[in-house]
Amino acid sequence: MNHIASVSIRSSTAALDVPAAALRWHNLRDVALREATRLSAILVLVLLGGVIVSLIYGAAPVLRSEGLSFFTTEAWNPVTEKFGALGPIYGTLVTSFIAMLIGIPVSIGVAIFITELCPRPLKRPIGTAIELLAGIPSIIYGIWGLFVLAPFLQKEVQPLIISVFSGVPVFSRLFAGPPYGIGVLTAGIILSIMVVPYITSVTRDVFETVPAVLKESAYGLGCTTWEVVRNVVMPYTRTGVIGGIMLGLGRALGETMAVTFVIGNAHRIAPSLLAPGTTISAAIANEFTEATGALYTSALIALGLILFLITFLVLAAARYLLLQLERRAGK
Amino acid sequence: MNLKKALLRPWVLAAAAAASVPAALAGDISGAGATFPYPIYSKWADAYKKETGIGLNYQSIGSGGGIKQIEARTVTFGASDKPLKPEDLEKKGLTQWPMVMGGEVAAINLPGIKPGELVIDGPTLADIYLGKITQWDDPALKKLNPGVKLPSKPIVVVHRSDGSGTTFIFTDYLSKVSPAWKDKVGSDTSVEWPVGVGAKGNEGVSGNVAQFEGAIGYVEYAYAKQNKLTYMKMINKAGKVLEPGTETFQAAAANADWENAPGFYQILTDQPGAKSWPITGATFILMPKQVPNAQDALEALKFFAWAYKNGAKMAEELDYIPMPENVVKLVEQSWKNNIKDSAGQPIWK
């Protein structure tokens, strides 16, 4: 028995020995795949490192001459070469905040409608329309914002907002005139439209992963649609939804062309949301080609470094948040 | 073997492509810089190519970019709307000369107001851009425009968001006419604007002005004309009310004293003379004093000489002002004196 087995094993290895070249070839391919993928992964890290190093190198002159005040002042004067990044930082954060404030509820609402409430024949068209929105180049949003949305806001909406809130504490400062049409608020609105398709398509996809049996048992217990969404769908998909929101936030933080068109490109921090402002990416896009002088160029590169850090911090915060949520859900 | 062949093939193709590219581009003049003269440079280049077969590869990346590229010697010539100061030219080993001139106007958007109906002077314009005058029915504007019914509307100030020679010319003018402007803001290709919204390029500013009621912006005259914007008349240094146009731009240019301007460093704003349009400027070409490639440099100079000689009409069609003949003579003399090959011999003879 033993003998036979060993023979059969030997013969089978012998049988494998015959196409040894093929085996080696397979092996080689495996090694090649492993090395190629490893190399790609390392390349990404090297590129990332290279970007950071070159940003820091480029930003060094202005950081040396301005010191920490680069991050805390809003002066941006190419004539006297006094540079401060607070204006663009403020604009970036505020426009993204407005975009999220409007974008998140709308996107999640659309996703819930498509997955839970939408009549079947409408499901496809609405889904496709949302995806098409994601495919529109940002410059088109910018042009639409400048030629359609901004004049509409200037003539119809902003005078109304200004008169409604005049006299109301805090809000009267937040919505103080004159109505330019373009400004921080308009940029935030455009951004919110741009992030909706991103958040919606991710949220819709994760909503659809909720097992039907869970939802059906909840309905069976007499839950309303609201209760099903609130207590079954949302907890089940939390991680994915936050991932979608982060994707949208990433787009909002870095969006350049559409914002440049409608934000007014002024390096100032005004209490009013109707006033013009600027964002980091808009400032770089506007000024880089004509930035004369080493310090000016360096200040713009430093802005890029700050945007890099902001994006990194946001992603890290999101990771941390997810971790906390998972830990709590685990308990 | 097969593998080797497959690996080799792209290299062969790439090598072939690399070998053929310079051949295709040989003879083309390369330049980079200001966007303001781009329309006329490309028009000249078209006509020149038809005549001589030599093309121009001009990247309109902005004056700042043009200066950087010529400093790095990656192009044969650079173009800038802001002339370099003589000492900077010396430091960078460059020489410069004016190529063509143009005027800027204040364009506005006020329903019911026709082009040229409103008049403004320099100090008032500066006050608007300083944020001191915020309403269209401000007493200063009323005083300049008796008989015109000015609306009680907020002024939407529009300026360039990118660095620009157009901005340099405009802010240089405001600095000359308003001590407060000179003190607080100064003049450069981009400045710290006290008020207003920024837009990219002459197109951006004209677009914004056309969009927003109550807007005012400064644009190159050709853009205001093409976009049918409402321009304002201006009161010049001599106190005369002027209409913008070739005649008044030329008058400002004729007053300039090019002969006694070292390195042709001459800014044409706020010139004396009854007919001088106050916001006029020239755009400049920059070339190294010692050129890395004499043949390329000579081709470029030939193109410029041709443009001076044959390009005046084309320039006027696009609302640019050609350089007067005496200035052209000075420029060509400066080529002889300043542009040398590696052996120290002048290239232009």
Side-chain angles (χ1 to χ4, degrees), chain A:
Chain A
M1 193 60 186
N2 253 343
H3 178 72
I4 296 167
S6 74
V7 164
S8 79
I9 285 169
R10 206 177 301 144
S11 71
S12 74
T13 52
L16 284 174
D17 266 348
V18 180
L23 197 65
R24 255 206 311 279
W25 174 236
H26 277 283
N27 205 12
L28 196 70
R29 266 211 303 217
D30 243 21
V31 171
L33 177 72
R34 195 184 316 132
E35 292 307 317
T37 49
R38 199 213 307 258
L39 204 69
S40 314
I42 293 174
L43 189 68
V44 169
L45 287 183
V46 169
L47 279 178
L48 188 71
V51 169
I52 298 176
V53 168
S54 56
L55 279 177
I56 293 176
Y57 178 78
V62 80
L63 295 181
R64 221 174 291 134
S65 83
E66 302 281 327
L68 276 182
S69 72
F70 183 73
F71 301 95
T72 54
T73 53
E74 58 161 313
W76 188 266
N77 193 332
V79 183
T80 57
E81 300 209 307
K82 278 269 153 240
F83 297 104
L86 203 59
I89 294 175
Y90 169 84
T92 305
L93 296 179
V94 171
T95 50
S96 295
F97 180 74
I98 297 171
M100 290 295 123
L101 206 62
I102 305 172
I104 294 174
V106 172
S107 317
I108 293 183
V110 173
I112 292 174
F113 179 74
I114 293 178
T115 50
E116 304 297 327
L117 299 166
C118 184
R120 196 160 279 277
L122 269 181
K123 228 171 165 168
R124 262 277 169 84
I126 295 181
T128 316
I130 295 280
E131 268 150 31
L132 276 179
L133 268 184
I136 298 176
S138 60
I139 191 141
I140 305 290
Y141 280 105
I143 292 174
W144 177 79
L146 178 63
F147 286 106
V148 182
L149 182 67
F152 171 74
L153 290 177
Q154 186 199 21
K155 281 187 202 119
E156 314 292 338
V157 181
Q158 291 184 349
L160 191 76
I161 299 180
I162 294 167
S163 64
V164 165
F165 286 113
S166 74
V168 185
V170 183
F171 283 96
S172 65
R173 298 286 308 274
L174 214 50
F175 298 104
Y180 280 126
I182 51 184
V184 174
L185 182 66
T186 314
I189 294 174
I190 287 276
L191 280 179
S192 73
I193 300 172
M194 295 178 72
V195 300
V196 160
Y198 282 73
I199 306 180
T200 305
S201 50
V202 173
T203 359
R204 188 194 54 185
D205 288 350
V206 295
F207 280 177
E208 268 165 3
T209 63
V210 179
V213 63
L214 283 185
K215 287 194 278 184
E216 276 158 18
S217 22
Y219 281 120
L221 287 173
C223 287
T224 59
T225 311
W226 164 250
E227 283 164 336
V228 171
V229 169
R230 174 75 190 78
N231 299 317
V232 178
V233 176
M234 284 305 222
Y236 192 86
T237 56
R238 211 161 29 200
T239 320
V241 171
I242 291 180
I245 290 172
M246 286 306 139
L247 192 70
L249 182 57
R251 177 162 204 204
L253 285 172
E255 176 50 46
T256 310
M257 278 330 286
V259 172
T260 302
F261 271 81
V262 295
I263 197 165
N265 303 306
H267 281 270
R268 284 189 300 274
I269 299 176
S272 168
L273 292 179
L274 306 183
T278 190
T279 68
I280 292 175
S281 46
I284 296 174
N286 267 309
E287 298 171 37
F288 203 81
T289 47
E290 296 261 3
T292 45
L295 212 56
Y296 195 178
T297 315
S298 169
L300 289 168
I301 295 174
L303 279 185
L305 181 65
I306 293 173
L307 184 59
F308 194 95
L309 291 177
I310 291 178
T311 319
F312 181 78
L313 283 178
V314 165
L315 284 179
R319 272 291 151 94
Y320 182 73
L321 187 70
L322 281 179
L323 221 65
Q324 295 294 97
L325 278 174
E326 268 160 27
R327 198 168 298 158
R328 215 181 313 147
K331 267 179 193 166

Side-chain angles (χ1 to χ4, degrees), chain A residues 74-79 146-147 150-151 154-155 178-182 264-266 268 276 285-292 296-297, chain B residues 61-65 68 154 156 159 161-164 185 187-198 200 208 211-213:
Chain A
E74 58 161 313
W76 188 266
N77 193 332
V79 183
L146 178 63
F147 286 106
Q154 186 199 21
K155 281 187 202 119
Y180 280 126
I182 51 184
N265 303 306
R268 284 189 300 274
N286 267 309
E287 298 171 37
F288 203 81
T289 47
E290 296 261 3
T292 45
Y296 195 178
T297 315
Chain B
I61 53 172
S63 300
K68 271 183 215 151
V156 180
H159 55 73
S161 60
D162 49 339
S164 149
V185 186
S187 70
D188 208 332
T189 49
S190 55
V191 298
E192 187 172 22
W193 298 99
V195 289
V197 300
K200 197 166 165 61
N208 269 282
Q211 278 310 302
F212 301 115
E213 266 183 39

Side-chain angles (χ1 to χ4, degrees), chain A residues 79, chain B residues 122 126 167-188 191 269-270:
Chain A
V79 183
Chain B
T167 298
F168 170 72
I169 293 165
F170 184 71
T171 51
D172 179 80
Y173 172 63
L174 295 189
S175 296
K176 278 179 182 164
V177 294
S178 159
W181 181 272
K182 190 173 182 185
D183 195 42
K184 278 201 191 123
V185 186
S187 70
D188 208 332
V191 298
T269 55
D270 202 31

Side-chain angles (χ1 to χ4, degrees), chain B residues 46-127:
Chain B
D46 262 5
Y48 189 66
K49 177 141 199 176
K50 270 182 205 135
E51 244 181 78
T52 62
I54 293 169
L56 169 71
N57 172 20
Y58 182 75
Q59 315 157 27
S60 64
I61 53 172
S63 300
I67 294 171
K68 271 183 215 151
Q69 293 230 2
I70 192 66
E71 270 178 47
R73 308 285 195 265
T74 49
V75 286
T76 308
F77 72 89
S80 170
D81 295 332
K82 180 190 175 183
L84 290 182
K85 294 210 173 87
E87 59 264 30
D88 286 335
L89 286 173
E90 201 56 51
K91 211 165 64 194
K92 291 168 180 168
L94 297 172
T95 179
Q96 77 185 356
W97 62 88
M99 197 63 221
V100 69
M101 299 174 288
E104 287 170 27
V105 296
I108 57 171
N109 177 352
L110 274 183
I113 304 283
K114 288 187 281 297
E117 196 177 337
L118 284 192
V119 176
I120 196 163
D121 60 6
T124 313
L125 194 58
D127 281 350

